[in-house]
């Protein structure tokens, strides 16, 4: 049990080398691969894991659970980190870590391991999740322990050990992708003054090359969850994937930022989340139609906190659970449709409607039919302004 370990295996160089490194330390290594929509040939990666020395490879499709239990709650909460990041990577870590922990239990392994570097957020997210769900599991982080610092050293090690890796295919960037979006860093992006080259983007076309004609999409929501595109019902995964395609073709959902990592450094990262941004904007707009002013304003502060919790790896915590209960209560009335216009990198809300709309045309109108009682305005202003009258 002590010498059996489940490793979160991505199929890349780091985790392939980690398999062998752990095996050489006397561990029986089980590779765990969670499919959260990152793409790639799982059967090929399975072979690679075996060539590196695993005793078993477990592949699990978590896309549905990811969309329903991680992405949608975050969408309902309105979580965006530092105004620009929809948290695709951050949301995927707790579900992968949960899968890792469950696999360790099933396989009677006493340890888990991940291939995160020692200066990123992901190590924190994996380990805090594991601590919260299975405090007795031992956690190993080979990349924090071994002394191979460069990629070249790892390639050499892989060569010596006969690990079947594909070094030619390496992108100049570090990528992390799932159905909710992609995170791109490293290479020329490390200079925050450098404009991201077009080849850095994977899910979106250059807005300059996007169609000159606008495309309209109507998103239908039920209790805060998106359920329809243009009147047609979709399950959560297909809905996100479909909007990624539609939005990606219009160059929607790119962000470029310098962000504050949890470990105290600033890093430059670019993100793409075409479907995510369409949904976030549409959802926020529908809330504006159906929630009263005080609830809407208060919820904005919750969105900020929620995004921090997700970013900081605090998914399985009492505060996050309590915030979910609050958010879920706020979503009871968030049912309706939002009309979005997609054009050259911009997704704009151009219409919204709901059976729970609090918008009253007879109160707002400046045209005949106005029901607003102007006579009460004067008294209201007198009382409202009283404290400031000299
Ligand atoms: N900075 C993002 C986060 O901490 C993404 C991290 C992974 N990025 C990557 N390009 N490998 O959530």
């Amino acid at each position: 049990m002590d010498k059996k370990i489940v490793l979160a295996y991505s199929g890349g160089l780091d985790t392939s080398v980690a398999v062998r490194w752990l095996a050489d330390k006397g561990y029986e290594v089980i590779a765990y691969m969670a499919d959260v929509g990152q793409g790639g040939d799982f059967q090929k990666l399975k072979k690679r894991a075996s060539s590196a020395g695993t005793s078993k490879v477990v592949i699990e499709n978590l896309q549905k659970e990811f969309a329903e239990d991680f992405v949608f709650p975050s969408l309902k909460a309105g979580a965006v980190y530092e105004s620009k990041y929809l948290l695709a990577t951050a949301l995927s870590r707790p579900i992968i870590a949960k899968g890792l922990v469950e696999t360790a239990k099933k396989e009677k392994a006493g340890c888990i391991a991940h291939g995160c570097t020692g200066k990123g957020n992901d190590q924190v997210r994996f380990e805090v999740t594991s601590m919260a769900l299975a405090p007795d599991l031992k956690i190993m982080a080979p990349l924090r322990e071994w002394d191979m610092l460069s990629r070249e050293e790892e390639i050499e090690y892989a060569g010596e050990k006969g690990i079947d890796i594909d070094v030619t295919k390496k992108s100049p960037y570090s990528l992390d992708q799932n159905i909710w979006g992609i995170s791109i860093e490293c290479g020329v992006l490390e200079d925050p003054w450098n404009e991201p080259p077009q080849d850095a983007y994977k899910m979106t076309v250059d807005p300059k090359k996007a169609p000159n004609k606008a495309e309209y999409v109507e998103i239908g929501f039920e209790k805060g969850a998106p359920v329809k595109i243009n009147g047609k019902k979709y399950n959560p995964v297909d809905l996100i994937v479909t909007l990624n395609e539609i939005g990606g073709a219009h160059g929607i959902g790119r962000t470029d930022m310098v962000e504050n990592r949890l470990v105290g450094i600033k890093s430059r990262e670019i993100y793409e989340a075409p479907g995510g941004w369409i949904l976030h904007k549409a959802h926020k707009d529908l809330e504006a139609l159906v929630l009263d002013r005080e609830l809407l304003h208060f919820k904005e502060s919750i969105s900020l906190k929620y995004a921090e919790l997700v970013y900081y790896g605090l998914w399985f915590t009492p505060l996050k659970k309590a915030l979910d209960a609050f958010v879920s209560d706020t979503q009871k009335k968030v049912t309706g449709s939002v009309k979005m216009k997609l054009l050259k990198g911009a997704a704009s809300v151009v219409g919204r409607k709901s059976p729970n709309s609090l918008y009253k045309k007879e109160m707002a109108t400046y045209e005949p039919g106005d029901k607003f009682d102007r006579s009460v305005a004067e008294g209201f202003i007198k009382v409202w302004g009283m404290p400031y009258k000299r």
Side-chain angles (χ1 to χ4, degrees):
M1 177 135 178
D2 284 353
K3 279 289 176 184
K4 202 168 180 184
I5 193 161
V6 185
L7 166 74
Y9 183 72
S10 71
L13 178 64
D14 288 339
T15 50
S16 299
V17 168
V19 168
R20 176 53 60 90
W21 187 85
L22 287 165
D24 285 352
K25 288 222 166 321
Y27 284 97
E28 176 190 340
V29 186
I30 297 171
Y32 175 75
M33 277 194 275
D35 178 357
V36 284
Q38 66 271 45
D41 179 348
F42 283 90
Q43 289 317 314
K44 190 172 144 202
L45 300 180
K46 189 173 176 175
K47 279 202 201 109
R48 179 175 299 164
S50 310
S51 84
T54 52
S55 68
K56 187 172 182 179
V57 181
V58 177
I59 304 174
E60 260 182 345
N61 186 336
L62 303 182
Q63 292 189 27
K64 180 172 183 283
E65 187 187 347
F66 181 53
E68 289 173 358
D69 299 344
F70 292 77
V71 173
F72 279 10
S74 173
L75 173 70
K76 291 175 186 171
V80 186
Y81 188 67
E82 296 183 344
S83 310
K84 288 189 174 176
Y85 173 34
L86 280 180
L87 298 157
T89 297
L91 285 164
S92 73
R93 292 327 188 226
I95 188 174
I96 299 170
K98 179 171 154 280
L100 207 55
V101 164
E102 283 164 3
T103 307
K105 278 199 185 134
K106 251 183 254 158
E107 301 289 341
K108 301 200 172 12
C111 322
I112 58 156
H114 59 73
C116 307
T117 69
K119 58 198 280 188
N121 298 311
D122 289 333
Q123 52 175 347
V124 182
R125 298 169 184 149
F126 272 116
E127 295 184 31
V128 172
T129 301
S130 172
M131 286 157 74
L133 299 179
D136 295 334
L137 275 180
K138 197 177 151 216
I139 306 166
M140 297 272 292
L143 273 81
R144 279 202 307 250
E145 281 189 41
W146 68 39
D147 44 19
M148 289 175 277
L149 278 178
S150 70
R151 196 178 140 70
E152 284 60 41
E153 282 172 274
E154 287 184 33
I155 293 172
E156 198 180 313
Y157 179 94
E160 276 166 25
K161 304 278 182 176
I163 306 171
D164 150 41
I165 45 148
D166 202 348
V167 281
T168 49
K169 282 240 177 94
K170 172 74 181 170
S171 145
Y173 310 104
S174 158
L175 308 172
D176 182 71
Q177 185 166 14
N178 59 56
I179 52 170
W180 195 231
I182 186 165
S183 311
I184 307 156
E185 62 182 355
C186 300
V188 294
L189 300 173
E190 281 184 356
D191 180 345
W193 182 250
N194 284 343
E195 180 177 349
Q198 284 305 325
D199 77 347
Y201 294 102
K202 310 288 170 212
M203 296 175 77
T204 55
V205 304
D206 181 353
K208 203 169 64 206
K209 300 206 176 113
N212 291 322
K213 194 169 169 279
E215 180 171 351
Y216 289 85
V217 278
E218 191 181 319
I219 318 284
F221 288 89
E222 257 169 43
K223 294 194 168 64
V227 289
K228 285 183 188 169
I229 304 172
N230 296 330
K232 191 173 159 221
K233 266 207 161 260
Y234 284 84
N235 69 48
V237 173
D238 291 344
L239 184 129
I240 296 168
V241 170
T242 303
L243 285 176
N244 281 339
E245 281 162 17
I246 298 175
H250 289 276
I252 281 151
R254 294 180 171 188
T255 52
D256 172 350
M257 71 189 287
V258 171
E259 74 193 38
N260 288 291
R261 279 195 195 163
L262 180 55
V263 294
I265 50 181
K266 287 189 188 289
S267 70
R268 199 286 185 88
E269 188 119 28
I270 60 175
Y271 296 103
E272 293 170 283
W277 281 105
I278 293 173
L279 289 171
H280 174 75
K281 287 189 176 176
H283 177 264
K284 218 170 149 50
D285 204 273
L286 185 58
E287 285 190 329
L289 186 69
V290 301
L291 302 185
D292 68 274
R293 181 183 63 205
E294 294 310 309
L295 182 53
L296 191 71
H297 291 185
F298 185 77
K299 189 171 175 278
E300 288 196 359
S301 64
I302 298 300
S303 302
L304 281 179
K305 191 71 213 171
Y306 200 100
E308 282 179 356
L309 294 180
V310 174
Y311 192 88
Y312 297 167
L314 302 178
W315 185 264
F316 292 104
T317 60
L319 178 56
K320 149 71 180 44
K321 189 160 172 258
L323 293 187
D324 272 331
F326 169 80
V327 169
S328 170
D329 196 71
T330 64
Q331 299 301 292
K332 287 181 184 153
K333 293 271 159 80
V334 188
T335 294
S337 291
V338 180
K339 188 165 50 178
M340 308 282 302
K341 182 178 181 174
L342 315 180
L343 180 64
K344 296 255 175 222
S348 326
V349 176
V350 293
R352 68 291 277 161
K353 63 180 179 190
S354 165
N356 307 320
S357 171
L358 299 178
Y359 176 85
K360 297 191 177 73
K361 180 146 188 288
E362 68 277 18
M363 298 303 263
T365 188
Y366 285 95
E367 285 170 20
D370 181 6
K371 295 231 172 72
F372 188 87
D373 180 357
R374 283 149 217 258
S375 70
V376 300
E378 193 184 341
F380 167 74
I381 298 162
K382 279 192 177 138
V383 174
W384 180 248
M386 200 153 52
Y388 315 106
K389 197 173 172 202
R390 296 184 182 230

